[in-house]
Amino acid sequence: MNGVTIGQAAAFVGVTVKTVRHYHKLGLVKEPERDSSGYRRYGSAELLRLVQVRTLAAAGVPLAEIGPMIDADSALFAAALADVERQLTERIEELIARRDTLRRLAEGDRALLPDRAVALLERLSGLGFPAEEVSAAREGWVLARALVPEGFDDYLTHVEHALDDTRFVALIKRGAEAAAWEPDDPRIAELATAMADHFLANPAHLKIVTGLQARTEAATRYKLIALHGEEQGSAAARGVALVETKLRAAGIHIPRPDTH
């Protein structure tokens, strides 16, 4: 009659009977022999092993690693604990990052864009750009960051500097107004020429156009970003095409739909 039943052992250790049986199945705790009455009795040795397994499992040690850790000497046990601590630290950092992302989601733009991009969007609003234009910029930047992540930070730097130029700001505002024009409006060609001339005269601003060119599938990615939200044949799409044509004619590399 020495020892306790599996139910008592589970209660003493703080786990369920199902968990104890799972430990047996994995070989983490040896299953006691049955006594003369047909019951398995857990003595102090089995209870100690159960406590060790349960403590390590609760600390986040994978079950597959617990057996070798308990059976190892003190030096190997300490090294194994240090490795588990490192893994747990990495998991904690990942969970904190996920939590921060959830908090940023509640703030809108901050979940999908870096703080400096959000600040730029606020700056656009402060410069008098209409809400729909700021919204289009937001969506375009989210897409650009996903498609060409390696060039996005530099792109934001170019935009920050360009917004200090009142002539550039006026041109972009004019471009926003052009979205409401008819596709055959002659003003579109005039505006495209003015924009292309500005880019050519200001190489730093030109990088806003040339900077977001991916190394692979360049044409596909570029078009997805450049024509985001623009319907085919619209005034805005025609304006973009005219600017691109003028820049190519001046020797500027702009990806074409049929190139890579």
Side-chain angles (χ1 to χ4, degrees):
M1 298 298 293
N2 289 332
V4 297
T5 65
I6 187 172
Q8 291 173 311
F12 290 167
V13 175
V15 296
T16 65
V17 170
K18 183 178 180 180
T19 297
V20 174
R21 289 186 173 135
H22 186 56
Y23 291 166
H24 290 325
K25 182 178 179 181
L26 295 177
L28 296 175
V29 180
K30 184 178 179 182
E31 196 170 17
E33 298 293 333
R34 295 184 186 275
D35 62 13
S36 58
S37 302
Y39 291 99
R40 298 187 187 279
R41 296 285 176 175
Y42 291 74
S44 58
E46 289 81 15
L47 288 174
L48 174 60
R49 183 81 176 193
L50 279 172
V51 169
Q52 291 174 321
V53 173
R54 184 259 297 165
T55 301
L56 289 171
V61 180
L63 292 180
E65 300 177 16
I66 288 178
M69 286 183 65
I70 296 177
D71 297 332
D73 59 33
S74 58
L76 290 176
F77 182 78
L81 280 182
D83 186 58
V84 172
E85 181 181 2
R86 177 188 58 76
Q87 295 177 35
L88 288 175
T89 299
E90 292 176 354
R91 288 173 57 189
I92 290 170
E93 292 173 351
E94 179 184 354
L95 289 172
I96 290 175
R98 290 183 181 181
R99 181 199 64 189
D100 291 344
T101 296
L102 289 175
R103 290 178 175 175
R104 290 167 71 92
L105 277 171
E107 300 175 11
D109 299 334
R110 296 184 185 279
L112 300 173
L113 291 171
D115 289 341
R116 62 186 301 210
V118 176
L120 269 177
L121 291 172
E122 294 172 352
R123 186 176 174 187
L124 289 176
S125 296
L127 288 170
F129 283 87
E132 58 270 19
E133 183 68 16
V134 176
S135 179
R138 176 189 303 112
E139 293 178 357
W141 291 358
V142 170
L143 188 60
R145 188 188 187 199
L147 294 177
V148 194
E150 68 276 7
F152 190 67
D153 283 342
D154 288 340
Y155 169 79
L156 292 180
T157 298
H158 302 324
V159 173
E160 287 170 346
H161 293 162
L163 291 181
D164 291 331
D165 189 320
T166 56
R167 297 166 302 167
F168 178 79
V169 171
L171 278 173
I172 299 302
K173 284 185 177 180
R174 187 66 170 160
E177 296 173 3
W181 299 348
E182 292 297 323
D184 58 353
D185 193 313
R187 292 176 296 175
I188 295 176
E190 296 173 4
L191 178 59
T193 298
M195 294 187 74
D197 288 345
H198 178 86
F199 283 132
L200 293 172
N202 297 271
H205 297 178
L206 179 60
K207 292 179 181 178
I208 294 175
V209 179
T210 61
L212 290 175
Q213 295 184 19
R215 298 183 180 89
T216 62
E217 298 179 288
T220 300
R221 296 177 193 241
Y222 174 79
K223 285 298 180 184
L224 286 171
I225 297 170
L227 295 178
H228 166 70
E230 307 297 352
E231 295 183 7
Q232 187 174 4
S234 67
R238 179 171 176 244
V240 169
L242 287 173
V243 172
E244 291 178 348
T245 298
K246 294 179 182 297
L247 291 178
R248 289 193 190 102
I252 305 301
H253 174 70
I254 304 292
R256 296 178 182 273
D258 56 348
T259 59
H260 299 281

